[in-house]
Amino acid sequence: MKLARCSLASALAAALLGTANAGLSDCPKDLAFMLTNVLQAGQIQFPYASCEEDSSGVYVAGIARFSTEDGSAWKVISAYHDITGGDDVFSQFDGVLAKNNGGSSSSSLDGFCDAWTSVGTDQKFWSAQGTVFEKDYFNKSQSMADDLGVKLSITQAQIYDTAIAHGAGSSSDQLGGMIKTTNKGITEDISGDSSNSLDINGYTVDEVEWLKRFLVTRAKYKDVHGAKASIDSYTYMINKNETVWGSKVDVLNDKGAEGDVDCNNSYEPYPKPNPNPGSSSSSSQTSSSTKSSHHHSTSSFDPYGDEQGNDDGEGDGEGDNNDGGDGEPTDTEEHCYGYGSNYHCGASTSNLALGAVLFAGLTAFVSF
């Protein structure tokens, strides 16, 4: 696979922007973005131009499946209006969207997807999507991760993935509600083999053991927006002990095939089935506990079983976010990423900072 090389100037520009938030950063953040895109849209690049009508009769579009039902698409359009001065392709929908605070069905928005896709390559539109993405999805997800005391890349990334698929709100079928349900089931110390422990309800809980319970909670909801593919891929990583991410991580894609994502902006399918998918590849330490403790092995974890003892899920709620469009495979080409004045073309580096690459327009695309 051919990848263009990033210029020193582009790499320096990205580095100078720095990282403004705790949680995911640098290469692991880039890996999380690419993996979620693979799981939800079947491609590594953000689907800025995607737009479709879902089964409930609302339009869903863009890099976080912004919806015309929950007001998130209207937030993007309002941010775009701020940049353009309000005279753009979305002006025709302002009356309907503003009246309902963005909550409108597709029947009152004829031509919406045509308008959205027509500006899908506009860097100003990328910036508008990025503004809402950062505030309402990425930052919120990582703030919740910080509040939990999460330190491992795998947990931070799964929390981000859940926010994109289900929304970062507090209802039972959104990220905040799922965290609450998971924590409600913690009634004792739980030791494990990861390098970090969480304080949940006054109990000491190994972080990976908490993540396994979180996946059990998420599995109780409907398979929306790549949820099952995400659960399967993160279960695969847990069973391989891929918890602290470097420049590459082994994953399952949206179709369940083995491969890896790396910080050169690529997805590589394995040429042959992995001969030993359950082997551990990194060292870890065991958490100590002072109260009654239950220990679970990281091997053969199944989030669809009942062995975790977490029966506090609240059924088949629908998430607020919606499916994005499906990208078509193209030849690998030079990578363009960033938004607004921070737009760059060239290959990604292994140390991409927040800012310029947070809303990366990854134009290299590898089909599965």
Side-chain angles (χ1 to χ4, degrees), residues 13 16 23 36 71 117 146 171 212-213 243 258 267 279 312 356-357:
L16 288 174
T36 291
T117 57
D146 289 345
S171 65
K212 288 158 70 172
R213 284 158 177 73
T243 60
E258 294 177 320
Y267 169 84
S279 64
D312 295 308
V357 297

Side-chain angles (χ1 to χ4, degrees), residues 71-315:
S72 56
W74 173 236
K75 288 183 179 180
V76 172
I77 292 170
S78 296
Y80 188 53
H81 285 336
D82 289 342
I83 297 171
T84 65
D87 184 16
D88 53 58
V89 295
F90 296 111
S91 301
Q92 59 186 307
F93 306 113
D94 285 357
V96 174
L97 291 174
K99 181 179 179 180
N100 298 296
N101 195 30
S104 302
S105 67
S106 58
S107 61
S108 59
L109 294 170
D110 186 47
F112 180 85
C113 274
D114 290 338
W116 189 284
T117 57
S118 72
V119 291
T121 59
D122 182 353
Q123 295 171 30
K124 294 177 181 178
F125 193 47
W126 290 11
S127 180
Q129 292 191 48
T131 297
V132 180
F133 173 92
E134 179 180 12
K135 178 181 178 182
D136 291 350
Y137 296 89
F138 181 76
N139 285 356
K140 280 188 176 181
S141 74
Q142 297 310 287
S143 177
M144 292 184 195
D146 289 345
D147 289 344
L148 283 166
V150 163
K151 302 295 183 184
L152 303 178
S153 311
I154 189 173
T155 314
Q156 294 167 333
Q158 170 59 206
I159 288 174
Y160 159 75
D161 182 273
T162 304
I164 295 297
H166 299 277
S170 58
S171 65
S172 63
D173 58 349
Q174 295 181 309
L175 173 59
M178 292 183 191
I179 291 174
K180 182 178 179 180
T181 297
T182 302
N183 290 348
K184 186 178 179 181
I186 303 297
T187 59
E188 61 181 351
D189 286 343
I190 305 172
S191 62
D193 297 324
S194 77
S195 59
N196 187 52
S197 295
L198 310 179
D199 181 1
I200 307 294
N201 305 329
Y203 297 102
T204 300
V205 181
D206 178 81
E207 182 173 325
V208 170
E209 295 302 327
W210 182 91
L211 175 59
K212 288 158 70 172
R213 284 158 177 73
F214 179 80
L215 292 174
V216 169
T217 299
R218 188 176 178 187
K220 293 181 179 181
Y221 294 87
K222 290 182 179 180
D223 179 18
V224 292
H225 324 316
K228 186 179 185 301
S230 175
I231 293 166
D232 290 347
S233 190
Y234 279 82
T235 297
Y236 174 83
M237 287 184 279
I238 288 172
N239 289 334
K240 285 183 63 107
N241 203 17
E242 296 257 6
T243 60
V244 180
W245 295 356
S247 61
K248 182 176 73 173
V249 62
D250 294 333
V251 301
L252 300 181
N253 70 6
D254 57 318
K255 297 177 177 63
E258 294 177 320
D260 62 59
V261 287
D262 66 48
C263 288
N264 284 321
N265 290 347
S266 70
Y267 169 84
E268 288 284 4
Y270 290 155
K272 296 179 181 179
N274 186 12
N276 191 15
S279 64
S280 296
S281 60
S282 61
S283 61
S284 58
Q285 63 184 40
T286 303
S287 302
S288 61
S289 60
T290 56
K291 303 178 185 177
S292 61
S293 176
H294 194 50
H295 178 86
H296 290 276
S297 170
T298 57
S299 63
S300 302
F301 164 60
D302 177 11
Y304 303 104
D306 295 325
E307 72 276 12
Q308 299 304 314
N310 182 357
D311 298 321
D312 295 308
E314 300 183 25

